[in-house]
Amino acid sequence: MYVYNDFDEGFVRERVAQFRAQVERRIDGSLTEDEFKPFRLMNGLYLQLHAYMLRVAVPYGTLNSAQMTQLAHLADTYDKGYGHFTTRQNIQYNWPELRDVPDMLSDLADVGMHAIQTSGNTIRNVTADHFAGAAKDEVEDPRPIAELLRQWSTDHPEFQGLPRKFKIAVTGCEADRAVIRAHDIGIQVVRNKAGEIGYKVIVGGGLGRTPMIGKVLNDFVSKADLLPYCEAIVSVYNLLGRRDNKYKARIKITLHENGIEKIQDLVNARFEQIQPVFAGVDPQCLAEIEHAFAPPLFKTASTDGYEAARLANPAFRSWTDTNLADHRADDYAIVSISIKKQGATPGDATSEQMRVMADLAAKYGHDELRISHEQNVILPHVHKSDLHAIYTALRDVDLATANIGLISDIIACPGMDYCALATARSIPVAQEIATRFDELKLEHEIGALKIKISGCINACGHHHVGHIGILGLDRAGVENYQITLGGDGTETTTIGERAGPGFGADEIVPAIERLVLGYLDLRMCKEETFLHAYRRLGAAPFKDILYPEKAQKNAA
Amino acid sequence: MSRTFTPKVITANALLEGDAIWFTEDDTWTRNIAEAELITDEAHGDLRLLEAKADQGIVVGVYLAEAKPTDKGPAPTHFREAFRTRGPSNYAHGKQEV
Ligand code: HEM
Ligand code: SF4
């Protein structure tokens, strides 16, 4: 795994010291809030409804066990014993006190972590496929270039005041688990006909108030050209992006207003200018980074015990059926740990759970963990012979729920329970849906289904790309929930379609139940997922299920 | 024609702890909305807002929020403000904790 070099270390330490002085000056009255706010946001410190919130980056979603253990330490020492993992592969602490934040940042620096550029109009934490480096279908591990992008973008002097925030996601496979088409820049590692590795570059995707799917800007950018090419994109955006209206400031709008051809021309022209003099890519440096991400030494062992345990223990079998993904190495598996036991808050993990996961990674997982944008934790490299021991340890701390990709594996943003921008709550809706379908014992029968919930139009909960999306709104002082259908966040990205009028807080869970039970009647067979059925049948039958009175009226 | 002015309280977050606080008649800040000053006059509200904002050495993000009178003192009218008097709904954290 990548370890900070002296430059990274010195830089992060210096930022902590600066922020400590800024906090002191705010407390002693030498800085006003207007003066202090930009400093705290630069260091990931927000103010929410009930407290401050510290957002810590987990670069490209990768952690080692010492880092996860440190996150647990922060949760115990400065927070209420838990942390919230987000769709942006960050962890948020909901209850820090202002005086403690410099110490939190200092503790993070001890394990090579920070909260820099987790806020503001900068290039944010680069997110990646959470199976990177382990997935069977991968062309190449995308994390070395994610790390390169991180180094390039961190404190980049030209890009500290962009028109708006800027988000980059990378994946090494055709199968998209990083929602790259809903990012300002999405990068996919590809191989060309000559067998060389390069990158497909997609721009202008985004969710929020105006959801848009990214467009391919370039089908193949070579390895050496990737950074100057990204630099060209961001610098074109920096000049062209609108600063007059914050709702039109993201690159998706720049692209929409100017057209892909014009952006292509401008990016190419800028690229020609900077590529010959670009100082950012040192092949030596990339080689070192790639070395740091070299795969672990995989072991060989018998998997007889694993097969026997699967036969003997139906609960274990169900968990392995649901929570494992194919690994590139023989007899290895990728384990997705669900931190979403039915009724729990999506994305929350207690300090005890974090420690157990860290210990399991150290003992059985080549010391690696990942945070997924779906708010779960991944052990990317596990030999099958160790799965039963892992399962047993997870079960003791409520982490063995077999629900990955199922109806209770819901993404939910913090919503009105924490977020100052929210228009409604999202967490309780997620909790109630998960609990309800668990009671009905239908979860496995329903099969693959992604529900995603946001507490306002900013779409932090990705509702637009949920098979079923739920958006919480404030209608005349009452919570109201709008349903979207048919969204998809994979390589076939689709923005969901609004189903119709919203539902009140006490109507939304019954509406979802009606919808899902209705799908069970509509599907041709068990293999036809909700999304497939929706694509085959179109929105109409689903709308009829959601709004039975209207359907009756139409039929009459 | 003047719009009817609906009653309000002045609220903010505490600088150090970050939790919700309300401005009282005696220019102090309370953690209990029922002890806040209920403002029923627009001009008075503007003036009190300025006075409250002068406390920025101890508070953050001062604003006027809708409220209604009750036997026990001012109470929130909007669910967002009601959450601020209690805390989140997924855990008994925040003000409801004590
Ligand atoms: C204090 C908490 C938060 C604030 C103030 C906040 C603010 C925002 C805003 C203003 C946007 C819209 C940006 C735009 O369209 O220009 C946004 C988008 C987004 N946020 Fe958050 N957010 C918060 C928490 C979160 C959390 C907890 C997550 C992860 C669960 C998250 C992930 C995202 C994502 C994925 C998007 C949409 C993608 C895009 O940028 O187009 N945010 N957020
Ligand atoms: S979607 Fe809205 S409510 Fe949810 S975290 Fe983002 S800004 Fe807050």
Side-chain angles (χ1 to χ4, degrees):
Chain A
M1 208 182 121
Y2 182 77
V3 180
Y4 275 8
N5 59 28
D6 294 347
F7 175 80
D8 298 325
E9 164 90 20
F11 170 73
V12 171
R13 294 278 175 206
E14 193 187 315
R15 279 288 291 268
V16 174
Q18 283 169 354
F19 189 58
R20 191 179 293 282
Q22 287 155 356
V23 168
E24 274 162 23
R25 283 160 58 216
R26 175 68 180 104
I27 293 175
D28 74 18
S30 348
L31 286 178
T32 64
E33 185 58 23
D34 286 349
E35 290 162 335
F36 178 66
K37 191 174 174 186
F39 295 137
R40 72 167 158 82
L41 289 177
M42 275 169 68
N43 290 287
L45 187 63
Y46 286 77
L47 188 66
Q48 303 204 108
L49 287 180
H50 316 293
Y52 288 97
M53 177 273 280
L54 182 69
R55 181 183 288 167
V56 178
V58 179
Y60 30 88
T62 297
L63 288 171
N64 60 29
S65 57
Q67 291 172 322
M68 184 64 114
T69 306
Q70 191 75 330
L71 295 181
H73 158 76
L74 261 74
D76 281 339
T77 314
Y78 310 104
D79 206 276
K80 294 187 189 290
Y82 75 100
H84 176 74
F85 291 105
T86 80
T87 43
R88 296 263 325 129
Q89 295 179 321
N90 295 311
I91 178 169
Q92 298 190 169
Y93 291 102
N94 285 324
W95 302 96
E97 293 193 6
L98 182 58
R99 263 188 222 286
D100 288 337
V101 176
D103 291 337
M104 296 174 83
L105 295 176
S106 172
D107 291 355
L108 287 167
D110 291 345
V111 292
M113 295 182 76
H114 62 67
I116 295 166
Q117 286 179 213
T118 58
S119 169
N121 296 329
T122 55
I123 300 176
R124 303 287 187 89
N125 183 27
V126 177
T127 51
D129 178 1
H130 42 269
F131 293 170
K136 197 169 183 140
D137 51 350
E138 189 171 81
V139 175
E140 188 179 79
D141 188 345
R143 291 173 305 153
I145 54 137
E147 171 56 25
L148 203 62
L149 287 161
R150 186 191 71 83
Q151 296 189 4
W152 158 77
S153 63
T154 302
D155 224 26
H156 191 302
E158 209 181 310
F159 302 147
Q160 293 303 304
L162 294 169
R164 198 79 180 89
K165 56 172 87 164
F166 202 89
K167 300 176 178 176
I168 304 179
V170 298
T171 174
C173 339
E174 182 58 35
D176 183 5
R177 289 173 289 260
V179 209
I180 62 169
R181 285 160 190 80
H183 283 76
D184 297 278
I185 296 182
I187 297 174
Q188 180 189 341
V189 186
V190 290
R191 203 185 287 279
N192 67 8
K193 289 208 181 76
E196 296 152 341
I197 284 185
Y199 308 96
K200 186 199 264 189
V201 178
I202 295 167
V203 289
L207 302 173
R209 161 180 315 257
T210 324
M212 288 192 184
I213 297 172
K215 295 199 164 97
V216 177
L217 190 66
N218 197 322
D219 278 310
F220 191 86
V221 177
S222 73
K223 211 169 237 201
D225 286 345
L226 184 69
L227 273 197
Y229 193 77
C230 288
E231 170 113 4
I233 298 172
V234 183
S235 81
V236 165
Y237 164 63
N238 201 14
L239 285 179
L240 206 59
R242 288 179 57 171
R243 290 169 194 269
D244 59 322
N245 180 342
K246 131 171 163 178
Y247 301 122
K248 301 198 165 160
R250 296 288 288 269
I251 195 173
K252 62 189 173 189
I253 308 287
T254 320
L255 181 78
H256 185 72
E257 289 182 346
N258 291 276
I260 184 95
E261 287 80 18
K262 179 168 171 196
I263 300 289
Q264 251 158 355
D265 290 346
L266 288 168
V267 168
N268 289 341
R270 180 79 185 133
F271 176 73
E272 301 290 315
Q273 269 177 349
I274 57 182
Q275 196 260 358
V277 291
F278 191 76
V281 231
D282 170 0
Q284 168 83 28
C285 171
L286 180 60
E288 274 169 28
I289 294 174
E290 281 181 342
H291 182 72
F293 287 100
L297 286 173
F298 295 119
K299 69 175 184 184
T300 46
S302 160
T303 59
D304 293 350
Y306 164 66
E307 300 298 346
R310 261 176 60 86
L311 285 177
N313 180 345
F316 175 60
R317 184 163 66 240
S318 165
W319 180 79
T320 59
D321 285 342
T322 317
N323 294 34
L324 301 186
D326 288 342
H327 196 282
R328 64 166 60 144
D330 286 343
D331 295 333
Y332 267 71
I334 302 172
V335 176
S336 292
I337 302 173
S338 167
I339 51 176
K340 301 184 197 162
K341 184 180 167 157
Q342 293 84 0
T345 301
D348 280 8
T350 65
S351 55
E352 186 195 14
Q353 291 175 325
M354 291 184 213
R355 285 199 183 90
V356 167
M357 293 188 280
D359 292 347
L360 290 173
K363 196 162 171 197
Y364 303 111
H366 298 277
D367 209 35
E368 274 205 40
L369 299 126
R370 306 288 168 73
I371 306 306
S372 78
H373 82 268
E374 294 183 320
Q375 301 178 292
N376 288 311
V377 179
I378 317 292
L379 297 175
H381 309 297
V382 175
H383 193 272
K384 286 184 179 162
S385 60
D386 295 322
L387 284 169
H388 192 257
I390 288 177
Y391 170 78
T392 313
L394 289 174
R395 205 185 41 197
D396 291 342
V397 285
D398 271 348
L399 287 176
T401 310
N403 66 345
I404 295 295
L406 302 181
I407 193 168
S408 62
D409 186 8
I410 299 173
I411 293 185
C413 79
M416 182 81 82
D417 287 308
Y418 298 91
C419 177
L421 303 177
T423 42
R425 285 172 298 173
S426 34
I427 292 169
V429 178
Q431 291 175 307
E432 284 167 37
I433 293 173
T435 310
R436 179 65 188 142
F437 282 92
D438 193 39
E439 279 163 13
L440 295 172
K441 295 286 164 240
L442 277 177
E443 176 148 52
H444 290 267
E445 175 67 24
I446 295 161
L449 178 56
K450 291 188 193 292
I451 298 186
K452 305 184 197 260
I453 311 176
S454 305
C456 83
I457 193 126
N458 287 326
C460 303
H462 287 186
H463 65 275
H464 299 293
V465 293
H467 302 167
I468 300 175
I470 301 176
L471 166 62
L473 294 169
D474 173 349
R475 284 276 175 267
V478 198
E479 288 168 301
N480 188 273
Y481 295 89
Q482 226 169 57
I483 294 180
T484 51
L485 296 170
D488 172 7
T490 69
E491 61 282 7
T492 43
T493 307
T494 312
I495 304 293
E497 198 184 326
R498 217 187 113 187
F503 295 89
D506 52 352
E507 298 166 347
I508 182 67
V509 180
I512 298 294
E513 182 173 333
R514 213 158 54 236
L515 180 65
V516 174
L517 297 181
Y519 145 72
L520 291 180
D521 292 337
L522 289 170
R523 72 182 178 188
M524 289 195 299
C525 60
K526 213 177 162 201
E527 281 64 46
E528 190 178 48
T529 62
F530 180 89
L531 188 61
H532 286 138
Y534 182 83
R535 286 186 175 156
R536 175 173 61 87
L537 296 163
F542 295 91
K543 288 187 187 174
D544 288 349
I545 297 167
L546 276 175
Y547 306 99
E549 300 83 31
K550 193 153 172 252
Q552 258 170 19
K553 222 182 279 169
N554 288 348
Chain B
M1 273 251 314
S2 70
R3 294 168 284 123
T4 42
F5 181 80
T6 49
K8 293 184 177 48
V9 288
I10 291 173
T11 183
N13 290 73
L15 174 69
L16 296 179
E17 296 83 9
D19 60 334
I21 48 179
W22 292 267
F23 200 44
T24 67
E25 272 171 31
D26 358 314
D27 298 348
T28 57
W29 293 87
T30 171
R31 282 172 161 75
N32 178 1
I33 187 175
E35 293 166 4
E37 173 183 5
L38 189 73
I39 295 163
T40 51
D41 173 81
E42 186 160 10
H44 180 65
D46 291 345
L47 180 72
R48 293 297 283 154
L49 191 62
L50 284 178
E51 286 167 353
K53 281 185 175 169
D55 271 350
Q56 65 145 321
I58 48 171
V59 305
V60 188
V62 181
Y63 64 93
L64 283 161
E66 297 287 328
K68 62 183 178 205
T70 71
D71 306 345
K72 296 196 190 83
T77 57
H78 190 277
F79 63 95
R80 180 184 197 270
E81 292 304 315
F83 282 129
R84 293 181 72 246
T85 68
R86 288 199 300 270
S89 46
N90 60 332
Y91 304 115
H93 288 160
K95 298 202 184 321
Q96 63 200 336
E97 198 168 2
V98 278

